[in-house]
Amino acid sequence: MIVVKTKEEIELMRESALIVSKTLGVLAKAIQPGVTTLELDKIAEEHIRDHGAVPGFLGLYDFPNTLCMSPNSQVVHGIPNNEPLKEGDIISIDCGALKNGFYGDHAYTFAVGEIDAETEKLLQVTKESLYVGIREFKKNNRVGDVGFAIQKYCEDHGYGVVRELVGHGLGKEMHEDPEMPNYGKRGKGKKFIEGMVVAIEPMINMGTQRIKQHRDGWTITTLDNKPSAHFEHDVALVDGKPELLSTFAYIYEALGIESNEEEEFRQKALVL
Ligand code: MG
Ligand code: MG
């Protein structure tokens, strides 16, 4: 069952999403060779609690930490540990926050120092595919339209689109209906309705789409051990159009990156 949100609830969800956005911005400054994912996890937990929110993943389905930290060939759901990040790594950070009864949930894949051009391209294309997908989240479209757009964009670049893990509705629960696969057929699946909020999150592999699950019960890795990227935004359907609730602007501010990629999805100006 899809739970639509009122305008007031969407504003509360924006608040939760922006706490995650700010947290990712703080992490962006802290990511460097030598830092451990557990150190970053502590920074994130403190930052979320300082904003009157609760880490959204900690304890959810018994997940042990605040962040899902998935370096290199890990796709998602990696558990923070004491291993230092190295120059040339990539690290996907997925973060959730719960405030006023609503979840925020979004993710970014960071480069650690300088990365090779092939991996840089994977990050670029995966992020672009997120916006290609968000553009299809509009009145009268269906779940399959978003999935089709993301799949086509990534497969046209020769990448593997993970099938077993999908985006989702978001609200008072971290995972609500509908499931939002990153693959699909045009015109198929549930129809989008005003007031829906979804997390769209392409998980894209440089090589094979196939994945394996580790014995820890969480970590997912590409079957061929090639890199995987993951970007996620929270989006509401407002006046028939996609309205971004989360933002990468705090990350870009921290890293000194100029970008207007989110502008078309924002009906009111973002105040940082
Ligand atoms: Mg997430
Ligand atoms: Mg999600």
Side-chain angles (χ1 to χ4, degrees):
M1 186 188 68
I2 293 172
V3 183
V4 295
K5 279 78 184 176
T6 64
K7 295 235 163 175
E8 292 73 28
E9 288 173 331
I10 287 173
E11 288 318 303
L12 292 177
M13 292 197 69
R14 191 192 303 276
E15 191 180 335
S16 302
L18 289 179
I19 290 170
V20 179
S21 303
K22 285 179 194 166
T23 305
L24 292 175
V26 168
L27 294 172
K29 282 185 212 145
I31 291 169
Q32 55 179 313
V35 74
T36 72
T37 49
L38 208 46
E39 286 165 348
L40 296 172
D41 190 76
K42 293 277 167 289
I43 292 171
E45 177 170 0
E46 206 174 295
H47 189 262
I48 290 167
R49 293 194 190 279
D50 282 351
H51 285 77
V54 174
F57 299 159
L58 185 64
L60 186 73
Y61 316 117
D62 290 330
F63 188 77
N65 290 86
T66 293
L67 301 175
C68 292
M69 294 289 238
S70 311
N72 303 322
S73 65
Q74 292 186 14
V75 179
V76 286
H77 300 166
I79 298 174
N81 61 26
N82 282 316
E83 192 122 339
L85 293 173
K86 305 182 305 294
E87 177 88 18
D89 282 348
I90 55 170
I91 177 79
S92 151
I93 303 186
D94 197 347
C95 181
L98 176 65
K99 189 172 183 184
N100 301 312
F102 288 97
Y103 282 100
D105 169 27
H106 74 123
Y108 194 90
T109 303
F110 296 88
V112 182
E114 291 289 315
I115 59 172
D116 65 68
E118 208 186 356
T119 308
E120 179 74 52
K121 176 92 180 166
L122 173 71
L123 299 192
Q124 170 91 18
V125 169
T126 304
K127 183 153 66 70
E128 285 165 4
S129 81
L130 170 60
Y131 295 110
V132 164
I134 291 172
R135 212 167 277 135
E136 298 299 319
F137 180 60
K138 60 187 181 189
K139 192 177 170 182
N140 293 328
N141 264 12
R142 291 176 183 269
V143 166
D145 293 301
V146 170
F148 174 85
I150 293 171
Q151 180 183 6
K152 176 155 190 0
Y153 193 79
C154 294
E155 288 183 349
D156 282 353
H157 283 87
Y159 296 143
V161 177
V162 173
R163 299 299 201 273
E164 293 86 343
L165 300 147
V166 296
H168 49 93
L170 183 70
K172 289 185 174 167
E173 303 290 337
M174 173 66 78
H175 298 113
E176 297 186 355
D177 281 340
E179 287 196 342
M180 296 287 293
N182 299 303
Y183 58 92
K185 291 197 166 69
R186 269 188 188 139
K188 297 286 182 194
K190 287 189 181 145
K191 199 178 218 180
F192 298 136
I193 45 179
E194 186 73 13
M196 276 178 83
V197 179
V198 295
I200 299 179
E201 48 179 318
M203 289 157 258
I204 306 301
N205 300 343
M206 188 183 282
T208 179
Q209 70 190 47
R210 297 184 62 204
I211 56 171
K212 61 194 174 202
Q213 168 116 45
H214 285 230
R215 287 209 189 107
D216 63 16
W218 283 105
T219 313
I220 308 275
T221 312
T222 57
L223 197 62
D224 58 9
N225 293 316
K226 289 188 178 172
S228 182
H230 176 215
F231 291 85
E232 177 178 25
H233 266 315
D234 300 339
V235 198
L237 192 60
V238 178
D239 297 330
K241 294 184 298 231
E243 165 77 5
L244 266 189
L245 302 183
S246 52
T247 180
F248 295 145
Y250 295 101
I251 296 172
Y252 296 154
E253 192 187 33
L255 301 179
I257 296 170
E258 291 276 333
S259 170
N260 58 4
E261 68 193 20
E262 297 178 355
E263 253 167 50
E264 66 175 288
F265 307 114
R266 224 172 267 298
Q267 294 176 35
K268 54 181 182 188
L270 179 73
V271 183
L272 288 190

